[in-house]
């Protein structure tokens, strides 16, 4: 049974034109909308039913096009595109903003001591492993051994890079120490993502034609996709992890910051003496 809403709306594709910057921006604002993290299981299930029924030609009476698109983006935010399974909460794209803001802020703030560096790099790589596992290709199952190897390798790589650069930064201008978290994140991404998606490199990922018909699997397409993911992950970290160190280094040279730091140091020495 079909309602008043036409059945020719292509909800497999984004709502906005991906050939323009504004179209891509609108699409990704919807995909990463952090409010979707707060949606209840009932709302998610209702969106799933709406989307899957529409694909079968069944339209809920009174459903509008805006409501259909809203359901589509809610569905995309919580369910795996290949398997249809509900994804882990912190691994969803809608969780990226709050999770990354918190972890990045802590990595940039607590970088001076070795225990803090180790702890926050471990937290970051644990989060990255969850995201990579949650958003893996549904056609390439990953074993727990592969998952564990990727997680341990990425965490070790991040911690070794961070501690090595931290030690090296002692002999360099102070600003270089602020870039240690960014360098560690970049190094870990180069390890974590290929490891986590190694089965895709071996077995390939699905390739379809313009009409969505599956043509087969391609390892070369998987290689290109993983390289793009690594580069984009590092690029996404630049605004939050490479720009603030420059700004903070400039601010610390200002008089009001010197006075504040002087008071903090005096308070610290007083506390230690007590």
């Amino acid at each position: 049974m079909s309602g008043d809403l036409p059945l020719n709306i292509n909800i497999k594709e984004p709502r906005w034109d991906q050939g323009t910057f504004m179209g891509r921006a609108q699409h990704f604002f919807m995909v990463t909308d952090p409010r979707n993290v707060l949606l209840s299981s009932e709302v998610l299930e209702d969106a799933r039913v709406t989307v899957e029924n529409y694909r079968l030609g069944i339209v809920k009476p009174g459903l509008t096009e805006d409501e259909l698109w809203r359901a589509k983006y809610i569905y995309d935010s919580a369910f795996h595109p290949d398997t249809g399974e509900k994804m882990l909460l912190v691994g969803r794209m809608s969780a990226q903003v709050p999770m990354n803001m918190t972890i990045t802020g802590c990595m940039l703030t607590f970088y001076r001591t070795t225990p803090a560096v180790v702890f926050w790099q471990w937290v970051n790589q644990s989060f990255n492993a969850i995201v990579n596992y949650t958003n893996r290709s549904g056609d390439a199952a990953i074993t727990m051994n592969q998952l564990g190897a990727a997680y341990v390798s990425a965490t070790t790589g991040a911690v070794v890079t961070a501690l090595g650069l931290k030690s090296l930064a002692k002999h360099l201008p102070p600003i270089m120490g602020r870039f240690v978290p960014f360098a560690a994140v970049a190094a870990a991404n180069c390890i974590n993502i290929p490891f986590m998606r190694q089965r895709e490199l071996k077995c390939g990922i699905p390739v379809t034609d313009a009409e969505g018909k599956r043509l087969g699997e391609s390892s070369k397409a998987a290689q290109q996709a993983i390289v793009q993911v690594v580069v984009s992950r590092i690029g996404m970290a630049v605004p939050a992890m490479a720009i603030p160190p420059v700004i903070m280094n400039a601010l610390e040279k200002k008089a009001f910051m010197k006075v504040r730091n002087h008071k903090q140091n005096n308070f610290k020495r007083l506390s230690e003496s007590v």
Side-chain angles (χ1 to χ4, degrees):
M1 180 180 71
S2 63
D4 296 330
L5 193 67
L7 296 174
N8 60 351
I9 300 173
N10 187 6
I11 58 174
K12 291 184 179 180
E13 299 295 331
R15 184 176 189 178
W16 297 277
D17 180 10
Q18 298 302 284
T20 66
F21 172 79
M22 286 306 300
R24 293 191 296 272
Q26 287 177 297
H27 170 67
F28 283 103
F29 277 136
M30 289 294 292
V31 170
T32 61
D33 187 348
R35 294 175 298 178
N36 289 339
V37 172
L38 304 176
L39 296 177
S40 66
S41 297
E42 291 75 15
V43 173
L44 296 178
E45 182 62 19
D46 183 65
R48 184 188 68 79
V49 171
T50 298
V51 169
E52 292 183 353
N53 282 349
Y54 184 82
R55 290 172 177 170
L56 296 173
I58 304 172
V59 181
K60 183 169 61 177
L63 183 69
T64 66
E65 183 174 349
D66 285 340
E67 290 173 341
L68 175 63
W69 281 111
R70 174 61 179 160
K72 175 257 194 313
Y73 276 103
I74 290 176
Y75 175 85
D76 288 350
S77 75
F79 296 91
H80 195 282
D82 294 333
T83 65
E85 297 176 351
K86 186 183 291 185
M87 296 185 288
L88 297 171
L89 181 65
V90 296
R92 301 173 190 172
M93 288 298 102
S94 52
Q96 291 296 293
V97 173
M99 292 297 296
N100 273 316
M101 283 180 60
T102 302
I103 296 173
T104 299
C106 290
M107 284 194 295
L108 291 174
T109 303
F110 307 110
Y111 69 93
R112 297 181 185 278
T113 66
T114 297
V117 169
V118 172
F119 176 75
W120 286 109
Q121 288 299 328
W122 169 73
V123 170
N124 186 53
Q125 291 313 312
S126 298
F127 171 64
N128 285 342
I130 293 173
V131 171
N132 291 332
Y133 176 75
T134 303
N135 294 278
R136 71 199 183 283
S137 172
D139 290 80
I142 185 170
T143 66
M144 293 307 296
N145 287 337
Q146 293 171 329
L147 179 63
Y151 173 63
V152 171
S153 299
T155 304
T156 302
V159 170
V160 169
T161 300
L163 294 181
L165 291 177
K166 181 176 179 294
S167 176
L168 182 63
K170 294 178 181 179
H171 309 289
L172 299 173
I175 188 175
M176 299 307 296
R178 294 184 180 274
F179 286 105
V180 168
F182 173 67
V185 166
N189 275 323
C190 293
I191 300 171
N192 194 353
I193 296 171
F195 252 104
M196 194 67 67
R197 302 176 69 172
Q198 58 185 293
R199 184 168 176 79
E200 296 174 33
L201 293 172
K202 296 178 182 177
C203 303
I205 58 176
V207 177
T208 61
D209 59 19
E211 298 178 352
K213 183 180 179 181
R214 185 162 176 164
L215 303 176
E217 290 74 33
S218 171
S219 296
K220 187 172 182 179
Q223 293 172 11
Q224 294 176 345
I226 291 173
V227 168
Q228 290 173 357
V229 170
V230 171
V231 173
S232 65
R233 289 282 179 86
I234 295 174
M236 286 190 295
V238 170
M241 304 192 74
I243 297 177
V246 177
I247 297 174
M248 288 304 301
N249 190 66
L251 287 177
E252 287 190 345
K253 296 178 181 179
K254 302 295 182 181
F256 74 93
M257 286 294 288
K258 290 181 178 180
V259 171
R260 179 175 176 274
N261 290 337
H262 180 67
K263 290 181 178 180
Q264 285 182 334
N265 291 334
N266 287 340
F267 178 78
K268 183 178 180 180
R269 284 195 293 269
L270 180 62
S271 300
E272 290 175 348
S273 63
V274 173

